[in-house]
Amino acid sequence: MIITNVSGFRKEMKEYMDKVIKNFETLIISRGKSGIVVMSVEEYNSLMATNHELSSGKNEKRLDAAIEKLKTKDSFAKDL
């Protein structure tokens, strides 16, 4: 994660954009008590896909079951 302010972002906009895209960095541009997050489209799409998967009730049950198996140290190979 990279943090800068608006004037720093203006001065080096191209460099910041290159870091965000090429290095999958997340850029925070601070604006007083608030801020703006800049990320690559690929990173954004990945977050949205993860959010979609986690919002599904079926996937939530599967995730809970997998966590329980890990807690009880059951092997996932038994299910194959």
Side-chain angles (χ1 to χ4, degrees):
M1 177 175 16
I2 306 167
I3 302 173
T4 190
N5 56 30
V6 175
S7 61
F9 178 68
R10 277 191 208 131
K11 288 178 189 174
E12 298 182 43
M13 187 182 297
K14 182 186 180 318
E15 290 79 11
Y16 282 120
M17 295 293 187
D18 287 344
K19 288 178 183 178
V20 166
I21 292 170
K22 292 177 183 174
N23 301 332
F24 298 101
E25 291 279 359
T26 302
L27 173 64
I28 307 288
I29 304 171
S30 61
R31 296 194 67 197
K33 293 182 180 181
S34 187
I36 299 166
V37 177
V38 179
M39 65 178 68
S40 68
V41 171
E42 291 83 5
E43 188 69 20
Y44 174 79
N45 288 338
S46 176
L47 285 172
M48 292 299 104
T50 300
N51 183 52
H52 174 74
E53 291 295 324
L54 292 176
S55 66
S56 167
K58 181 179 177 184
N59 287 335
E60 182 180 355
K61 290 176 185 176
R62 290 174 56 207
L63 181 58
D64 288 342
I67 290 170
E68 281 304 311
K69 281 187 175 186
L70 285 173
K71 286 181 180 177
T72 61
K73 298 184 181 179
D74 285 345
S75 172
F76 286 97
K78 292 179 186 177
D79 295 337
L80 299 177

